[in-house]
C-alpha cells in the first residue's frame, strides 16, 4: 500500500508531501490545477519514460519519492529479496522506498531502497504495487497477461495453475533431454573410441597412492648405489663391529662419568640423558641395518619401473591430465560410456514419457480451462450489470476464451483470453485495449475491478478521471463503487464530481496560484470543514452559495 508520496519541482508543483491510508482517497481541484499530476508521478515511479518537460521551470531537476508497505504484497517482498534490494528481513512492518530523479536535460535515475536500479526493474516492482486506470496506454488491464491474472484470481485457480505449470515444466524437461540425446546422432563410433580409451586405462593401476609408491621405488632404484654406500658408512660409524664408532665412544663417556658421579650428583642427570641417547642410537642403528639389507641394485626392476612410468606419462599427455588424475579420467570415461550405451534405450523410453507428460498437462489444463470458463461467465455478467449502472446502458462485457491453437504444453494453460467490450447498444464487442473513449475505459476498468471484488493482486489502484462525461445518479453510483472497492484495496481517484468526492475516506485538494509571475500548484489534505467547502465549490462553482453548502452537507451526511 502507498503510504507517502513526495513531489519536488515536478511540473507546476514546487514541493508537496502527501500521506495515504487505506480505503478511498479522492483528489479534486480546478481544471488545470494539476490534480492529474499525482497520477503522472506514480506513472513515472512505475518506470514510464520521462522528458525534461516534467521538470519545473527554472529548476535543475524534479524528484519523486514513493513509500510503500509490503505486508500485503508478499510477491513484491520476494522480488526485492531475489534482486538483493530488500531491507531488513526481520522488520515486522516491511517497507519499500522508490525514488526517481528527472533532470532538466532529459536524463533520469531511479533507486529502490537507496540502491540504483534500471527502469525495467522499476517497472517490474511497481507492477506489483500500483495499477493505474485512466486515459493512458499504460493501464494494466489492457494487457492480456494482466487480464488472465485477474480472471485466475477471481476463479481462485492457484492450485490448478500450479498443476498446469508443473506439468508443462516436466514435459519441457523431458523434451530437452530427448533433443540433447538426439543431437548426438549415431554414437557407435564414440562408443568404440571410449571403449578403447577406457580399456587402455583399465590395464593400469592408476590410484594416486599407487603412483606415488611407484615414483618412490623409481627414486630408490635410481640412487640405489649411493643409498647402499651411505647406509654402510653410516652403520659402520654408528656401531660397526670393527674400528671406532659413535656407540663405543658413547659407552666410554658414560663409564668415565659414572666413576665420579659420587662427587657431583648432577652428573647422574647427564648419564640419564646419555643412556636415552644410547637407546635411540641402538634403534637408529638397527633400522639402518634393515634398510641396508633391503637395498639392492636390480637393473631389471629399474627397467620395469621406467617402462611403467613412461606408459603413465604417455597416458597423461594423451588425456591432457596429470598422472595422479588418470583415475578420475578413467571414471569419467566409464560414466560417459555407460550413458551412451543406454542412450538408445533411453530415447525409446523418453518418447513414451513425453507423451505421458503431455497427457498429464492436457488433463490439468482442461481442469483449469473449465474453471476459467465458469468464472468468466459469472465475472462478465457482473461486470455488464455494473457497466449499465455506471452510465453505459446497453453496454456489454465479455471474456473471450479460445484455444491457444497449439498442442504444445503451455505453463499458462491451453487457452487465450481477451476482455471484450461493447460500450453502446448494437455495437459489436471489441478488445478492451481498443476502446477509444478514455472515460469509458476508466469506468469499464472500475466495473471489472468492483465485479472482481478487489481480487486483483495489486494493492493500490489509481483511477484518473473515471467519472469523465457522467453526472447525476450515475456519479453517485461511481462513487459508491469506488468506496466499495476501497474496502479491499487502497483506491486513489482523481475526480471533478462532488458525488464521487463525497465518498472518499480522505480528500486532497489541488489548487494553483501565481507567485512572482510563476504558476504553482499546492496540495492540501482537507479536514471536515474544508472538505465541505470544496464540495460546495465543486457543486456551485466560484460563488459559494448557501444552497451549495447545504447540498455539500447532504452529500457528506448521506455517506456517513
Amino acid at each position: 500500500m502507498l503510504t507517502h508520496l513526495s513531489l519536488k519541482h515536478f511540473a507546476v508543483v514546487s514541493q508537496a508531501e502527501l500521506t495515504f491510508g487505506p480505503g478511498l482517497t479522492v483528489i479534486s481541484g480546478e481544471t488545470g490545477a494539476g490534480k492529474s499530476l499525482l497520477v503522472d508521478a506514480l506513472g513515472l515511479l512505475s518506470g514510464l519514460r520521462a522528458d525534461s518537460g516534467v521538470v519545473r521551470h527554472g529548476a535543475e531537476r524534479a524528484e519523486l519519492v514513493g513509500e510503500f508497505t509490503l505486508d500485503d504484497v508478499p510477491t513484491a517482498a520476494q522480488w526485492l529479496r531475489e534482486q538483493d534490494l530488500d531491507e531488513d528481513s526481520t522488520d515486522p512492518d516491511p517497507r519499500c522506498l522508490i525514488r526517481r530523479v528527472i533532470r532538466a536535460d532529459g536524463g533520469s535515475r531511479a533507486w529502490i531502497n537507496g540502491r540504483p536500479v534500471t527502469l525495467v526493474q522499476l517497472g517490474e516492482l511497481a507492477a506489483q504495487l500500483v495499477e493505474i486506470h485512466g486515459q493512458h496506454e499504460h493501464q494494466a488491464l489492457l494487457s492480456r497477461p494482466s487480464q488472465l491474472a485477474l480472471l485466475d484470481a477471481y476463479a481462485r485457480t492457484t492450485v490448478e495453475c500450479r498443476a498446469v505449470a508443473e506439468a508443462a515444466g516436466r514435459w519441457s524437461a523431458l523434451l530437452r533431454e530427448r533433443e540433447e540425446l538426439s543431437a548426438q546422432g549415431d554414437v557407435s563410433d564414440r562408443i568404440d573410441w571410449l571403449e578403447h580409451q577406457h580399456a587402455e586405462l583399465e590395464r593400469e593401476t592408476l590410484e594416486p597412492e599407487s603412483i606415488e609408491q611407484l615414483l618412490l621405488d623409481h627414486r630408490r632404484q635410481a640412487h640405489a648405489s649411493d643409498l647402499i654406500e651411505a647406509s654402510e658408512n653410516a652403520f659402520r660409524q654408528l656401531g660397526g663391529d670393527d674400528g671406532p664408532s659413535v656407540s663405543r665412544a658413547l659407552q666410554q663417556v658414560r663409564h668415565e662419568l659414572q666413576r665420579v658421579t659420587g662427587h657431583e650428583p648432577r652428573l647422574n642427570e647427564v648419564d640419564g640423558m646419555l643412556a636415552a641417547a644410547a637407546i635411540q642410537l641402538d634403534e637408529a642403528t638397527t633400522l639402518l641395518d634393515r634398510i641396508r639389507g633391503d637395498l639392492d641394485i636390480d637393473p631389471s626392476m629399474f627397467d620395469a619401473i621406467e617402462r611403467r612410468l613412461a606408459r603413465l606419462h604417455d597416458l597423461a599427455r594423451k588425456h591432457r591430465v596429470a598422472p595422479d588424475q588418470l583415475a578420475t579420467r578413467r571414471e569419467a570415461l566409464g560414466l560417459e560410456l555407460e550413458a551412451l550405451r543406454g542412450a538408445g534405450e533411453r530415447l525409446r523410453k523418453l518418447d513414451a514419457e513425453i507423451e505421458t507428460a503431455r497427457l498429464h498437462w492436457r488433463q490439468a489444463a482442461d481442469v483449469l480451462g473449465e474453471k476459467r470458463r465458469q468464472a468468466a461467465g459469472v465475472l462478465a455478467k457482473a461486470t455488464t450489470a455494473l457497466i449499465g449502472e455506471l452510465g453505459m446502458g446497453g453496454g456489454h462485457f465479455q471474456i473471450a476464451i479460445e484455444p491457444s491453437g497449439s498442442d504444445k504444453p503451455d505453463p499458462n494453460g491451453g487457452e487465450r483470453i481477451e476482455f471484450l467490450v461493447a460500450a453502446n447498444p448494437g455495437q459489436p464487442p471489441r478488445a478492451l485495449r481498443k476502446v477509444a473513449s478514455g472515460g469509458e475505459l476508466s469506468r469499464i476498468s472500475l466495473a471489472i475491478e468492483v465485479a472482481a471484488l478487489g481480487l486483483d493482486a495489486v494493492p493500490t489502484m489509481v483511477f484518473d478521471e473515471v467519472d469523465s462525461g457522467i453526472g447525476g445518479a450515475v456519479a453517485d453510483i461511481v462513487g459508491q463503487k469506488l468506496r466499495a472497492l476501497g474496502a479491499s484495496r487502497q483506491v486513489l481517484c482523481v475526480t471533478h464530481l462532488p458525488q464521487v468526492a463525497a465518498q472518499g475516506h480522505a480528500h486532497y485538494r489541488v489548487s494553483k496560484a501565481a507567485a512572482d509571475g510563476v504558476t504553482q500548484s499546492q496540495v492540501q489534505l482537507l479536514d471536515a470543514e474544508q472538505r465541505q467547502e470544496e464540495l460546495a465549490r465543486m457543486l456551485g462553482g466560484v460563488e459559494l452559495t448557501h444552497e451549495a453548502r447545504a447540498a455539500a452537507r447532504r452529500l457528506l451526511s448521506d455517506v456517513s
Side-chain angles (χ1 to χ4, degrees):
M1 182 178 74
L2 176 66
T3 59
H4 186 83
L5 181 64
S6 173
L7 313 178
K8 186 175 181 181
H9 300 313
F10 181 61
V12 293
V13 178
S14 176
Q15 186 161 353
E17 301 284 339
L18 295 87
T19 57
F20 300 95
L24 171 62
T25 298
V26 295
I27 302 164
S28 65
E30 297 177 1
T31 301
K35 54 184 179 293
S36 290
L37 286 175
L38 303 179
V39 180
D40 296 337
L42 287 173
L44 291 171
L45 286 175
S46 298
L48 292 182
R49 297 199 173 276
D51 56 50
S52 59
V54 302
V55 181
R56 185 169 174 267
H57 179 70
E60 294 183 356
R61 63 183 186 178
E63 183 172 350
L64 313 171
V65 179
E67 184 176 2
F68 297 82
T69 57
L70 301 178
D71 53 338
D72 54 350
V73 204
T75 56
Q78 177 64 27
W79 184 91
L80 288 170
R81 285 192 292 271
E82 292 172 353
Q83 301 288 323
D84 294 326
L85 295 170
D86 56 322
E87 293 289 78
D88 184 4
S89 60
T90 62
D91 188 351
D93 185 23
R95 292 177 177 270
C96 173
L97 198 68
I98 299 178
R99 176 172 173 252
R100 189 167 180 190
V101 170
I102 301 102
R103 298 191 303 272
D105 61 7
S108 76
R109 295 185 65 191
W111 295 262
I112 295 176
N113 289 330
R115 301 176 181 89
V117 295
T118 65
L119 290 185
V120 172
Q121 289 176 301
L122 202 63
E124 289 177 357
L125 174 62
Q128 303 177 63
L129 301 175
V130 181
E131 189 170 275
I132 300 176
H133 302 270
Q135 304 177 40
H136 306 284
E137 294 180 354
H138 59 273
Q139 295 184 77
L141 277 182
L142 296 184
S143 72
R144 282 189 168 187
S146 295
Q147 293 173 0
L148 181 61
L150 179 59
L151 177 60
D152 280 334
Y154 183 77
R156 293 178 170 84
T157 59
T158 302
V159 174
E160 291 79 8
C161 285
R162 184 183 302 117
V164 168
E166 290 176 353
R170 171 64 176 163
W171 178 85
S172 297
L174 291 170
L175 192 67
R176 284 194 301 272
E177 184 181 354
R178 186 178 68 179
E179 290 172 349
E180 290 172 359
L181 288 176
S182 299
Q184 295 175 351
D186 185 3
V187 296
S188 57
D189 290 343
R190 176 70 176 173
I191 290 176
D192 291 342
W193 182 85
L194 286 172
E195 287 177 339
H196 173 73
Q197 300 294 317
H198 189 260
E200 195 174 43
L201 292 174
E202 278 283 292
R203 288 193 289 269
E204 300 292 338
T205 304
L206 301 176
E207 284 64 31
E209 56 272 16
S210 175
I211 294 176
E212 183 178 355
Q213 183 61 48
L214 182 64
L215 292 172
L216 180 61
D217 291 343
H218 180 265
R219 288 196 299 273
R220 183 183 294 116
Q221 283 295 320
H223 301 88
S225 59
D226 292 338
L227 289 170
I228 291 172
E229 182 180 357
S231 297
E232 289 179 346
N233 289 336
F235 181 81
R236 186 171 52 253
Q237 294 176 34
L238 290 176
D241 296 332
D242 301 324
S245 67
V246 174
S247 178
R248 291 193 188 90
L250 184 59
Q251 290 299 327
Q252 184 176 355
V253 169
R254 288 189 65 199
H255 179 71
E256 291 178 357
L257 289 177
Q258 287 171 357
R259 288 190 297 106
V260 296
T261 53
H263 307 300
E264 175 53 73
R266 288 179 297 177
L267 291 176
N268 287 320
E269 185 176 354
V270 174
D271 183 63
M273 294 178 182
L274 292 175
I279 294 172
Q280 292 290 324
L281 183 61
D282 289 342
E283 292 180 355
T285 303
T286 300
L287 179 58
L288 186 59
D289 185 46
R290 187 162 57 249
I291 293 172
R292 185 188 61 173
D294 291 340
L295 292 173
D296 186 21
I297 299 176
D298 186 344
S300 61
M301 178 184 292
F302 183 68
D303 289 342
I305 293 174
E306 287 251 291
R307 286 194 299 272
R308 188 180 171 206
L309 278 176
R311 288 197 305 273
L312 292 178
H313 283 293
D314 288 342
L315 288 171
R317 283 193 297 270
K318 182 176 182 178
H319 292 276
R320 298 181 180 179
V321 296
D324 59 358
Q325 294 177 331
L326 284 171
T328 302
R329 176 60 178 163
R330 180 186 59 196
E331 297 300 323
L333 291 176
L335 291 174
E336 184 181 356
L337 187 58
E338 182 180 352
L340 288 178
R341 283 170 177 164
E345 180 63 24
R346 179 58 183 154
L347 273 173
R348 286 189 292 274
K349 290 182 178 180
L350 275 173
D351 287 336
E353 289 182 20
I354 289 171
E355 179 59 20
T356 300
R358 189 191 66 79
L359 292 175
H360 285 167
W361 172 86
R362 183 72 267 170
Q363 293 170 356
D366 288 344
V367 173
L368 174 61
E370 180 58 28
K371 199 167 184 179
R372 282 172 172 171
R373 280 186 287 273
Q374 292 178 4
V378 177
L379 179 59
K381 184 177 179 179
T383 303
T384 296
L386 286 166
I387 287 175
E389 291 183 50
L390 296 177
M392 298 171 63
H396 186 69
F397 177 78
Q398 297 179 11
I399 300 178
I401 300 180
E402 57 185 26
S404 63
S406 171
D407 201 33
K408 177 181 177 180
D410 187 319
N412 292 316
E415 53 276 322
R416 295 179 298 181
I417 77 160
E418 180 86 61
F419 286 3
L420 305 177
V421 163
N424 297 297
Q427 290 184 345
R430 293 188 301 159
L432 180 64
R433 52 193 165 86
K434 295 181 180 179
V435 173
S437 168
E440 290 177 345
L441 186 56
S442 296
R443 274 176 278 159
I444 292 168
S445 297
L446 172 61
I448 294 171
E449 292 292 352
V450 173
L453 306 175
L455 288 173
D456 195 322
V458 178
T460 299
M461 297 179 181
V462 183
F463 292 89
D464 185 16
E465 302 287 353
V466 70
D467 47 20
S468 176
I470 64 173
V474 175
D476 283 329
I477 296 172
V478 170
Q480 293 167 12
K481 299 305 180 185
L482 285 167
R483 189 178 179 91
L485 185 59
S488 58
R489 288 290 183 270
Q490 181 188 47
V491 181
L492 311 181
C493 178
V494 176
T495 182
H496 66 276
L497 291 180
Q499 295 94 327
V500 174
Q503 295 288 338
H505 297 93
H507 191 157
Y508 276 99
R509 178 179 64 203
V510 181
S511 58
K512 65 178 180 179
D516 298 327
V518 179
T519 299
Q520 295 186 16
S521 289
Q522 295 181 334
V523 185
Q524 180 183 9
L525 179 63
L526 304 181
D527 58 26
E529 183 177 349
Q530 292 169 333
R531 193 173 178 191
Q532 180 179 304
E533 290 294 297
E534 174 64 6
L535 291 180
R537 181 199 64 77
M538 297 172 74
L539 284 163
V542 178
E543 295 294 333
L544 298 184
T545 64
H546 176 74
E547 291 78 9
R549 289 189 171 93
R553 284 194 296 272
R554 282 195 301 272
L555 284 174
L556 291 171
S557 63
D558 289 344
V559 174
S560 59

